[in-house]
Amino acid sequence: MTIFDVAIIGGGASGTTAAFHLANKGKNVCILEKNNSSFARACSGGISSAVQNWFPFNLMPIVDEVITNVEFSWCNNDKIVAKLSGSSPFWIVKREKLDSFLLDQAVNSGCNLLTTFYVVNIKKNSNIWQITALDGRHIEAKTIVIADGSQSPWSNFFKLGPKTLKYAYTFSGRIKRKGNLRNETARFDFGFVKNGFAWAFPLKNEVNIGMGTFLGNKNSIPFEEILQSFITDLGFEPSEVIGQKTKLRIWNGHSNLHGEGILLVGDAASLCDPFLAEGLRPALMSGFEAAKSLSHWLDGNINHLDAYSKTMKNNWGNSMAWGRRIAQVFYRFPKVGYKLGVKRATAPKRIAQILSGEMSYEDIAKRVINRLLFQH
Ligand SMILES: Cc1cc2nc3c(=O)[nH]c(=O)nc-3n(C[C@H](O)[C@H](O)[C@H](O)COP(=O)(O)OP(=O)(O)OC[C@H]3O[C@@H](n4cnc5c(N)ncnc54)[C@H](O)[C@@H]3O)c2cc1C
């Protein structure tokens, strides 16, 4: 039986990114994916163009729309528009297109793909990982990457990631026309969803609609009712939305994302932004960093898996720690947050800069602290 260098559990954004980079470095990799390669994913596809830095190939062919304006509202009123400036615009992609594009790149670089491989058991025997699928198929690997998303049971099983898992409750849907959403404009409404927000992202000829609630365990949010109010302003009927409700794992404190020959990436590693639900950038970042560390580790440099957890803490976690604090205050007092936060002259620009990856929550928090110190 072949012993793979790396087995990647899950062929989503994080898993395919790790797979591409490992295969590209000549490692013998396989992706184990429970679904067939094409299936609908709950995701609105908003992504910073800064992710291009992690790939040697051009991502533009899969970008549906480049966002130049972000419009904020409170219950469809009190609107404010921020222009996206700078070198990192915000893109909207179709998730299914992004994932299959990355998967193709991985497979073309030599990665093996096993679909309908629903992983139900993982154990380690004499330093070799043994992975079994629901249908009894079985593979072995020297290392594993856990990339199976928000419902992953393996982070808890291997005692990696945050001790307590935290979830946002979300709705994601698509409408098969553009309505009156302005060109190149992403819309965020903070008034309709309790402890969260609703959004509309334009695609070439369609619109992605989403809603998320970020505090408490509110799986009973009346998404259908909110949809009725939110999307009529955009020129749509609720009956036009084809959508699904999902539980999204969000960042909940710094944690260890690696063990002996095992790494967590993407949602399985609880990396998703707890304020704005940005999960694609950290999924791609973690896939890229995981591949770098695993490659070194397989080449005999055993300290490198430790480097992965540290890099993710420095490059993502430190910002998320501030994002979580901001979410806790903002979503508890959203009306005040909207008036004093979003409607503040520079605020929309800052939110836009967070979405585009130009600024982190940490940068913004430091600016606010400096301003307060300076004023006193
Ligand atoms: C409603 C909604 C809207 C969102 N909108 C945005 C957005 O606009 N921008 C943004 O940045 N982020 C957004 N996100 C977050 C983003 O979708 C996630 O952070 C991202 O999908 C994480 O990628 P991943 O590869 O870690 O996990 P996933 O994309 O969930 O991939 C996991 C993969 O593992 C497979 N799998 C699961 N279990 C097994 C198993 N046992 N065996 C084998 N395979 C398995 C799954 O089939 C899947 O292919 C949104 C999320 C939701 C819920």
Side-chain angles (χ1 to χ4, degrees):
M1 183 192 264
T2 310
I3 299 179
F4 290 100
D5 289 330
V6 189
I8 297 176
I9 292 121
S14 58
T16 50
T17 302
F20 163 74
H21 285 291
L22 284 158
N24 204 32
K25 286 181 167 77
K27 304 300 176 207
N28 189 10
V29 191
C30 73
I31 291 179
L32 310 173
E33 169 56 51
K34 74 174 177 184
N35 283 301
N36 284 317
S37 41
S38 62
F39 65 99
R41 293 181 188 276
C43 180
S44 304
I47 188 169
S48 157
S49 64
V51 301
Q52 181 63 71
N53 294 334
W54 299 314
F55 300 97
F57 45 81
N58 188 6
L59 290 171
M60 258 338 255
I62 51 137
V63 174
D64 255 53
E65 185 107 354
V66 176
I67 299 297
T68 52
N69 288 302
V70 184
E71 184 175 49
F72 301 96
S73 60
W74 178 270
C75 294
N76 286 337
N77 292 307
D78 210 5
K79 291 179 185 164
I80 179 160
V81 178
K83 237 192 153 21
L84 273 180
S85 56
S87 56
S88 297
F90 188 56
W91 292 339
I92 311 296
V93 299
K94 278 188 175 159
R95 238 336 264 289
E96 59 276 23
K97 234 166 145 185
L98 171 73
D99 289 19
S100 75
F101 182 75
L102 294 177
L103 185 63
D104 286 349
Q105 297 287 342
V107 170
N108 292 340
S109 302
C111 169
N112 299 274
L113 170 65
L114 298 178
T115 54
T116 63
F117 195 108
Y118 192 145
V119 174
V120 289
N121 193 21
I122 305 177
K123 60 181 184 195
K124 203 175 184 189
N125 202 348
S126 312
N127 280 336
I128 296 295
W129 293 93
Q130 302 178 325
I131 303 148
T132 310
L134 188 62
D135 61 10
R137 277 179 288 168
H138 183 80
I139 68 120
E140 294 190 339
K142 292 179 199 162
T143 61
I144 55 171
V145 175
I146 304 293
D148 56 345
S150 278
Q151 322 311 325
S152 176
W154 306 112
S155 49
N156 266 353
F157 185 81
F158 292 111
K159 298 195 171 40
L160 297 174
K163 273 198 191 84
T164 313
L165 299 177
K166 194 159 182 227
Y167 294 91
Y169 290 86
T170 67
F171 171 88
S172 132
R174 188 169 289 166
I175 301 178
K176 298 239 165 262
R177 61 189 183 94
K178 286 229 73 153
N180 55 31
L181 188 63
R182 282 191 225 164
N183 278 345
E184 299 177 2
T185 301
R187 168 78 173 275
F188 294 84
D189 187 285
F190 289 98
F192 286 121
V193 182
K194 192 163 184 230
N195 302 137
F197 68 105
W199 60 92
F201 292 169
L203 294 161
K204 232 174 233 139
N205 299 307
E206 298 163 289
V207 172
N208 278 339
I209 298 285
M211 288 177 263
T213 181
F214 295 82
L215 296 185
N217 283 328
K218 297 196 183 59
N219 54 3
S220 57
I221 285 278
F223 285 129
E224 290 79 5
E225 254 171 61
I226 298 169
L227 205 58
Q228 186 108 25
S229 317
F230 177 51
I231 65 169
T232 40
D233 192 52
L234 299 167
F236 301 121
E237 294 293 327
S239 57
E240 291 181 84
V241 186
I242 306 159
Q244 53 179 307
K245 293 179 186 174
T246 338
K247 228 167 101 179
L248 174 66
R249 201 178 281 186
I250 52 177
W251 194 89
N252 196 28
H254 293 299
S255 61
N256 213 14
L257 303 179
H258 75 282
E260 202 50 29
I262 173 173
L263 292 182
L264 304 183
V265 292
D267 286 355
S270 292
L271 295 176
C272 193
D273 175 345
F275 182 44
L276 293 173
E278 187 195 8
L280 285 173
R281 188 156 52 111
L284 303 189
M285 180 193 288
S286 58
F288 172 80
E289 294 296 343
K292 207 156 75 179
S293 288
L294 273 176
S295 184
H296 285 300
W297 195 82
L298 286 161
D299 292 341
N301 189 343
I302 52 160
N303 290 328
H304 259 84
L305 294 190
D306 187 42
Y308 170 69
S309 290
K310 282 191 185 135
T311 305
M312 288 311 298
K313 177 174 183 279
N314 293 336
N315 295 0
W316 186 253
N318 287 345
S319 174
M320 290 307 108
W322 283 104
R324 187 173 62 163
R325 285 180 198 122
I326 293 169
Q328 277 163 355
V329 176
F330 187 96
Y331 291 131
R332 221 158 255 146
F333 310 101
K335 202 157 193 181
V336 178
Y338 191 74
K339 281 255 163 317
L340 300 181
V342 179
K343 289 218 79 187
R344 206 189 132 78
T346 53
K349 190 170 165 218
R350 297 281 173 257
I351 296 182
Q353 283 175 315
I354 287 177
L355 289 170
S356 71
E358 269 177 47
M359 282 191 98
S360 66
Y361 292 117
E362 195 180 6
D363 296 331
I364 286 174
K366 280 180 183 160
R367 271 171 184 254
V368 173
I369 291 165
N370 278 341
R371 201 171 55 230
L372 292 175
L373 287 175
F374 187 70
Q375 276 172 358
H376 290 98

Short mmCIF file of all heavy atoms in Angstrom, two decimals, residues 7 9 119-125 128-132 141 143-148 152-163 165 249 255-265 268 309:
data_model
loop_
_atom_site.label_atom_id
_atom_site.label_comp_id
_atom_site.label_asym_id
_atom_site.label_seq_id
_atom_site.Cartn_x
_atom_site.Cartn_y
_atom_site.Cartn_z
N ALA A 7 -2.00 13.35 3.81
CA ALA A 7 -3.41 13.14 3.47
C ALA A 7 -4.17 14.37 3.96
O ALA A 7 -4.02 14.78 5.12
CB ALA A 7 -3.95 11.89 4.15
N ILE A 9 -7.77 15.99 4.69
CA ILE A 9 -9.18 15.62 4.88
C ILE A 9 -10.05 16.84 4.59
O ILE A 9 -10.10 17.78 5.37
CB ILE A 9 -9.40 15.07 6.31
CG1 ILE A 9 -8.66 13.73 6.40
CG2 ILE A 9 -10.89 14.83 6.60
CD1 ILE A 9 -7.65 13.67 7.43
N VAL A 119 -14.45 10.51 5.57
CA VAL A 119 -13.56 10.05 6.64
C VAL A 119 -14.35 9.82 7.93
O VAL A 119 -15.02 10.73 8.42
CB VAL A 119 -12.42 11.06 6.88
CG1 VAL A 119 -11.57 10.66 8.07
CG2 VAL A 119 -11.57 11.21 5.63
N VAL A 120 -14.28 8.61 8.47
CA VAL A 120 -14.99 8.32 9.71
C VAL A 120 -14.04 7.88 10.83
O VAL A 120 -14.44 7.83 11.99
CB VAL A 120 -16.09 7.24 9.52
CG1 VAL A 120 -17.26 7.79 8.71
CG2 VAL A 120 -15.53 5.97 8.89
N ASN A 121 -12.81 7.56 10.46
CA ASN A 121 -11.88 7.12 11.50
C ASN A 121 -10.45 7.53 11.14
O ASN A 121 -10.03 7.38 9.99
CB ASN A 121 -11.98 5.59 11.66
CG ASN A 121 -11.29 5.13 12.93
OD1 ASN A 121 -11.08 5.92 13.86
ND2 ASN A 121 -10.90 3.86 12.98
N ILE A 122 -9.75 8.09 12.15
CA ILE A 122 -8.33 8.43 11.96
C ILE A 122 -7.58 7.92 13.17
O ILE A 122 -7.96 8.22 14.30
CB ILE A 122 -8.12 9.97 11.89
CG1 ILE A 122 -9.00 10.61 10.81
CG2 ILE A 122 -6.66 10.30 11.65
CD1 ILE A 122 -8.90 12.14 10.74
N LYS A 123 -6.55 7.11 12.93
CA LYS A 123 -5.70 6.73 14.07
C LYS A 123 -4.25 6.67 13.64
O LYS A 123 -3.95 6.66 12.43
CB LYS A 123 -6.18 5.43 14.71
CG LYS A 123 -6.19 4.24 13.83
CD LYS A 123 -6.72 3.05 14.61
CE LYS A 123 -6.62 1.84 13.69
NZ LYS A 123 -7.36 0.71 14.10
N LYS A 124 -3.36 6.62 14.65
CA LYS A 124 -1.94 6.64 14.34
C LYS A 124 -1.33 5.35 14.85
O LYS A 124 -1.56 4.96 16.00
CB LYS A 124 -1.30 7.84 15.03
CG LYS A 124 -0.02 8.30 14.39
CD LYS A 124 0.44 9.55 15.08
CE LYS A 124 1.68 10.12 14.44
NZ LYS A 124 2.25 11.20 15.23
N ASN A 125 -0.54 4.72 13.99
CA ASN A 125 0.11 3.47 14.37
C ASN A 125 1.57 3.54 13.92
O ASN A 125 1.84 3.71 12.74
CB ASN A 125 -0.63 2.32 13.65
CG ASN A 125 -0.40 1.01 14.35
OD1 ASN A 125 0.46 0.91 15.22
ND2 ASN A 125 -1.17 0.00 13.95
N ILE A 128 2.53 6.28 11.59
CA ILE A 128 1.81 6.36 10.32
C ILE A 128 0.32 6.56 10.62
O ILE A 128 -0.25 5.86 11.45
CB ILE A 128 2.03 5.07 9.47
CG1 ILE A 128 3.50 4.91 9.08
CG2 ILE A 128 1.13 5.06 8.23
CD1 ILE A 128 4.05 5.98 8.15
N TRP A 129 -0.27 7.55 9.92
CA TRP A 129 -1.70 7.83 10.10
C TRP A 129 -2.51 6.86 9.24
O TRP A 129 -2.19 6.64 8.07
CB TRP A 129 -2.03 9.26 9.69
CG TRP A 129 -1.41 10.28 10.59
CD1 TRP A 129 -0.20 10.91 10.42
CD2 TRP A 129 -1.94 10.79 11.82
NE1 TRP A 129 0.05 11.78 11.45
CE2 TRP A 129 -1.01 11.73 12.33
CE3 TRP A 129 -3.11 10.56 12.55
CZ2 TRP A 129 -1.22 12.43 13.52
CZ3 TRP A 129 -3.31 11.26 13.72
CH2 TRP A 129 -2.38 12.18 14.21
N GLN A 130 -3.56 6.29 9.85
CA GLN A 130 -4.43 5.37 9.10
C GLN A 130 -5.82 5.99 9.05
O GLN A 130 -6.42 6.28 10.08
CB GLN A 130 -4.47 4.02 9.80
CG GLN A 130 -3.06 3.44 9.92
CD GLN A 130 -3.04 2.11 10.63
OE1 GLN A 130 -3.83 1.90 11.56
NE2 GLN A 130 -2.14 1.24 10.22
N ILE A 131 -6.30 6.19 7.84
CA ILE A 131 -7.56 6.92 7.66
C ILE A 131 -8.56 6.03 6.94
O ILE A 131 -8.25 5.46 5.89
CB ILE A 131 -7.31 8.21 6.85
CG1 ILE A 131 -6.26 9.05 7.58
CG2 ILE A 131 -8.58 9.02 6.69
CD1 ILE A 131 -5.39 9.84 6.69
N THR A 132 -9.75 5.93 7.53
CA THR A 132 -10.75 5.02 6.97
C THR A 132 -12.00 5.79 6.57
O THR A 132 -12.45 6.70 7.28
CB THR A 132 -11.14 3.96 8.03
OG1 THR A 132 -9.92 3.41 8.55
CG2 THR A 132 -11.98 2.84 7.44
N ALA A 141 -0.80 7.64 5.63
CA ALA A 141 0.01 8.84 5.33
C ALA A 141 0.94 9.16 6.49
O ALA A 141 0.65 8.81 7.64
CB ALA A 141 -0.92 10.02 5.07
N THR A 143 1.71 12.30 7.35
CA THR A 143 1.15 13.46 8.05
C THR A 143 -0.28 13.69 7.57
O THR A 143 -0.65 13.23 6.48
CB THR A 143 1.95 14.76 7.73
OG1 THR A 143 1.88 14.99 6.33
CG2 THR A 143 3.41 14.65 8.13
N ILE A 144 -1.06 14.42 8.36
CA ILE A 144 -2.43 14.75 7.92
C ILE A 144 -2.75 16.23 8.13
O ILE A 144 -2.23 16.86 9.05
CB ILE A 144 -3.52 13.88 8.63
CG1 ILE A 144 -3.42 14.00 10.15
CG2 ILE A 144 -3.47 12.44 8.18
CD1 ILE A 144 -4.59 13.34 10.88
N VAL A 145 -3.60 16.74 7.24
CA VAL A 145 -4.11 18.10 7.37
C VAL A 145 -5.62 17.98 7.55
O VAL A 145 -6.32 17.40 6.72
CB VAL A 145 -3.80 18.94 6.11
CG1 VAL A 145 -4.44 20.33 6.22
CG2 VAL A 145 -2.29 19.07 5.91
N ILE A 146 -6.13 18.54 8.65
CA ILE A 146 -7.57 18.50 8.92
C ILE A 146 -8.18 19.77 8.29
O ILE A 146 -7.95 20.88 8.77
CB ILE A 146 -7.84 18.48 10.44
CG1 ILE A 146 -7.12 17.29 11.12
CG2 ILE A 146 -9.34 18.46 10.72
CD1 ILE A 146 -7.62 15.93 10.74
N ALA A 147 -8.93 19.57 7.20
CA ALA A 147 -9.47 20.71 6.43
C ALA A 147 -10.94 20.46 6.15
O ALA A 147 -11.44 20.80 5.08
CB ALA A 147 -8.68 20.85 5.13
N ASP A 148 -11.64 19.86 7.12
CA ASP A 148 -13.02 19.43 6.83
C ASP A 148 -14.09 20.42 7.30
O ASP A 148 -15.25 20.06 7.45
CB ASP A 148 -13.28 18.02 7.38
CG ASP A 148 -13.00 17.92 8.87
OD1 ASP A 148 -12.34 18.83 9.41
OD2 ASP A 148 -13.43 16.95 9.50
N SER A 152 -16.16 19.97 11.67
CA SER A 152 -15.09 18.98 11.91
C SER A 152 -15.15 18.40 13.33
O SER A 152 -15.14 19.14 14.30
CB SER A 152 -13.73 19.63 11.72
OG SER A 152 -12.72 18.70 12.04
N PRO A 153 -15.15 17.07 13.46
CA PRO A 153 -15.09 16.50 14.80
C PRO A 153 -13.64 16.32 15.26
O PRO A 153 -13.37 16.04 16.43
CB PRO A 153 -15.75 15.12 14.61
CG PRO A 153 -15.45 14.75 13.19
CD PRO A 153 -15.35 16.05 12.41
N TRP A 154 -12.67 16.49 14.32
CA TRP A 154 -11.30 16.04 14.61
C TRP A 154 -10.52 17.00 15.48
O TRP A 154 -9.59 16.59 16.18
CB TRP A 154 -10.55 15.76 13.30
CG TRP A 154 -11.31 14.79 12.44
CD1 TRP A 154 -11.91 15.05 11.25
CD2 TRP A 154 -11.61 13.42 12.75
NE1 TRP A 154 -12.55 13.93 10.77
CE2 TRP A 154 -12.38 12.91 11.68
CE3 TRP A 154 -11.30 12.57 13.81
CZ2 TRP A 154 -12.85 11.61 11.63
CZ3 TRP A 154 -11.76 11.27 13.77
CH2 TRP A 154 -12.52 10.80 12.70
N SER A 155 -10.86 18.31 15.46
CA SER A 155 -10.11 19.24 16.30
C SER A 155 -10.30 18.86 17.77
O SER A 155 -9.34 18.75 18.53
CB SER A 155 -10.57 20.68 16.04
OG SER A 155 -11.97 20.76 16.10
N ASN A 156 -11.55 18.60 18.17
CA ASN A 156 -11.81 18.17 19.56
C ASN A 156 -11.19 16.81 19.84
O ASN A 156 -10.60 16.59 20.89
CB ASN A 156 -13.32 18.06 19.79
CG ASN A 156 -13.88 19.34 20.37
OD1 ASN A 156 -13.10 20.25 20.72
ND2 ASN A 156 -15.19 19.44 20.46
N PHE A 157 -11.33 15.91 18.88
CA PHE A 157 -10.84 14.54 19.05
C PHE A 157 -9.33 14.53 19.34
O PHE A 157 -8.86 13.79 20.20
CB PHE A 157 -11.16 13.74 17.77
CG PHE A 157 -10.83 12.29 17.84
CD1 PHE A 157 -11.69 11.40 18.47
CD2 PHE A 157 -9.66 11.80 17.27
CE1 PHE A 157 -11.39 10.05 18.53
CE2 PHE A 157 -9.35 10.45 17.33
CZ PHE A 157 -10.22 9.57 17.96
N PHE A 158 -8.58 15.40 18.62
CA PHE A 158 -7.13 15.44 18.82
C PHE A 158 -6.69 16.56 19.77
O PHE A 158 -5.51 16.86 19.89
CB PHE A 158 -6.41 15.58 17.47
CG PHE A 158 -6.54 14.35 16.61
CD1 PHE A 158 -7.29 14.36 15.45
CD2 PHE A 158 -5.92 13.16 16.98
CE1 PHE A 158 -7.43 13.22 14.67
CE2 PHE A 158 -6.04 12.01 16.20
CZ PHE A 158 -6.80 12.03 15.04
N LYS A 159 -7.68 17.18 20.43
CA LYS A 159 -7.42 18.27 21.40
C LYS A 159 -6.56 19.39 20.81
O LYS A 159 -5.59 19.85 21.40
CB LYS A 159 -6.78 17.70 22.68
CG LYS A 159 -7.67 16.72 23.41
CD LYS A 159 -7.18 16.47 24.80
CE LYS A 159 -8.15 15.67 25.64
NZ LYS A 159 -8.85 14.58 25.02
N LEU A 160 -6.94 19.81 19.59
CA LEU A 160 -6.27 20.94 18.94
C LEU A 160 -7.32 22.04 18.71
O LEU A 160 -8.52 21.77 18.72
CB LEU A 160 -5.67 20.51 17.61
CG LEU A 160 -4.57 19.44 17.69
CD1 LEU A 160 -4.17 18.99 16.29
CD2 LEU A 160 -3.36 19.96 18.43
N GLY A 161 -6.84 23.27 18.48
CA GLY A 161 -7.78 24.39 18.28
C GLY A 161 -8.33 24.85 19.61
O GLY A 161 -7.93 24.34 20.67
N PRO A 162 -9.24 25.85 19.60
CA PRO A 162 -9.75 26.39 20.87
C PRO A 162 -10.50 25.33 21.69
O PRO A 162 -11.13 24.44 21.11
CB PRO A 162 -10.73 27.48 20.43
CG PRO A 162 -10.75 27.50 18.96
CD PRO A 162 -9.80 26.49 18.42
N LYS A 163 -10.39 25.44 23.02
CA LYS A 163 -11.06 24.46 23.91
C LYS A 163 -12.56 24.51 23.72
O LYS A 163 -13.23 23.48 23.66
CB LYS A 163 -10.72 24.80 25.37
CG LYS A 163 -9.43 24.17 25.81
CD LYS A 163 -9.35 24.13 27.35
CE LYS A 163 -7.95 23.74 27.75
NZ LYS A 163 -7.02 24.91 27.77
N LEU A 165 -15.62 25.65 21.32
CA LEU A 165 -15.91 26.05 19.93
C LEU A 165 -17.04 27.06 19.92
O LEU A 165 -17.99 26.94 20.70
CB LEU A 165 -16.29 24.82 19.11
CG LEU A 165 -15.20 23.75 19.02
CD1 LEU A 165 -15.69 22.54 18.24
CD2 LEU A 165 -13.94 24.32 18.35
N ARG A 249 -18.17 27.97 12.21
CA ARG A 249 -17.25 28.03 13.36
C ARG A 249 -16.42 29.31 13.26
O ARG A 249 -15.85 29.58 12.21
CB ARG A 249 -16.33 26.81 13.32
CG ARG A 249 -15.71 26.49 14.64
CD ARG A 249 -14.86 25.25 14.53
NE ARG A 249 -15.63 24.02 14.54
CZ ARG A 249 -15.06 22.81 14.56
NH1 ARG A 249 -13.74 22.69 14.58
NH2 ARG A 249 -15.80 21.73 14.55
N SER A 255 -4.87 29.41 19.96
CA SER A 255 -4.80 27.98 20.30
C SER A 255 -3.74 27.30 19.46
O SER A 255 -3.24 27.85 18.48
CB SER A 255 -6.15 27.32 20.06
OG SER A 255 -6.48 27.43 18.70
N ASN A 256 -3.43 26.09 19.88
CA ASN A 256 -2.45 25.28 19.18
C ASN A 256 -3.10 24.64 17.96
O ASN A 256 -4.12 23.96 18.11
CB ASN A 256 -2.02 24.17 20.16
CG ASN A 256 -0.60 23.80 19.96
OD1 ASN A 256 0.14 24.52 19.30
ND2 ASN A 256 -0.20 22.67 20.50
N LEU A 257 -2.52 24.84 16.79
CA LEU A 257 -3.16 24.30 15.58
C LEU A 257 -2.37 23.12 15.01
O LEU A 257 -2.62 22.69 13.89
CB LEU A 257 -3.29 25.41 14.52
CG LEU A 257 -4.08 26.65 14.95
CD1 LEU A 257 -4.13 27.68 13.83
CD2 LEU A 257 -5.49 26.28 15.39
N HIS A 258 -1.40 22.63 15.80
CA HIS A 258 -0.60 21.51 15.29
C HIS A 258 -0.32 20.49 16.39
O HIS A 258 -0.33 20.83 17.58
CB HIS A 258 0.74 22.01 14.75
CG HIS A 258 1.69 22.38 15.86
ND1 HIS A 258 1.59 23.56 16.57
CD2 HIS A 258 2.73 21.69 16.42
CE1 HIS A 258 2.53 23.60 17.49
NE2 HIS A 258 3.24 22.48 17.44
N GLY A 259 -0.11 19.26 15.96
CA GLY A 259 0.37 18.20 16.85
C GLY A 259 1.46 17.45 16.10
O GLY A 259 1.94 17.91 15.06
N GLU A 260 1.81 16.28 16.56
CA GLU A 260 2.87 15.49 15.93
C GLU A 260 2.36 14.95 14.57
O GLU A 260 1.53 14.04 14.54
CB GLU A 260 3.18 14.35 16.91
CG GLU A 260 4.49 13.67 16.82
CD GLU A 260 5.73 14.57 16.79
OE1 GLU A 260 5.73 15.68 17.35
OE2 GLU A 260 6.71 14.11 16.18
N GLY A 261 2.78 15.60 13.48
CA GLY A 261 2.36 15.14 12.14
C GLY A 261 0.92 15.47 11.78
O GLY A 261 0.35 14.85 10.88
N ILE A 262 0.34 16.45 12.45
CA ILE A 262 -1.06 16.82 12.17
C ILE A 262 -1.24 18.34 12.27
O ILE A 262 -0.69 18.97 13.19
CB ILE A 262 -2.04 16.08 13.13
CG1 ILE A 262 -3.47 16.59 12.96
CG2 ILE A 262 -1.64 16.21 14.58
CD1 ILE A 262 -4.51 15.80 13.75
N LEU A 263 -1.98 18.91 11.32
CA LEU A 263 -2.27 20.36 11.34
C LEU A 263 -3.74 20.60 11.08
O LEU A 263 -4.37 19.86 10.33
CB LEU A 263 -1.50 21.06 10.21
CG LEU A 263 0.01 21.16 10.24
CD1 LEU A 263 0.50 21.93 9.03
CD2 LEU A 263 0.45 21.87 11.50
N LEU A 264 -4.27 21.66 11.69
CA LEU A 264 -5.65 22.09 11.39
C LEU A 264 -5.58 23.33 10.50
O LEU A 264 -4.76 24.21 10.75
CB LEU A 264 -6.39 22.53 12.66
CG LEU A 264 -6.55 21.63 13.85
CD1 LEU A 264 -7.41 22.35 14.89
CD2 LEU A 264 -7.22 20.33 13.44
N VAL A 265 -6.47 23.43 9.51
CA VAL A 265 -6.53 24.63 8.66
C VAL A 265 -7.99 25.08 8.50
O VAL A 265 -8.92 24.31 8.76
CB VAL A 265 -5.91 24.38 7.26
CG1 VAL A 265 -4.42 24.18 7.33
CG2 VAL A 265 -6.58 23.20 6.56
N ALA A 268 -11.94 24.35 10.26
CA ALA A 268 -11.64 23.30 11.25
C ALA A 268 -10.71 23.83 12.33
O ALA A 268 -10.70 23.36 13.46
CB ALA A 268 -11.02 22.08 10.55
N SER A 309 1.70 27.09 13.91
CA SER A 309 0.80 27.71 14.91
C SER A 309 1.23 29.15 15.20
O SER A 309 0.40 30.05 15.33
CB SER A 309 0.80 26.91 16.22
OG SER A 309 0.16 25.68 16.03
#
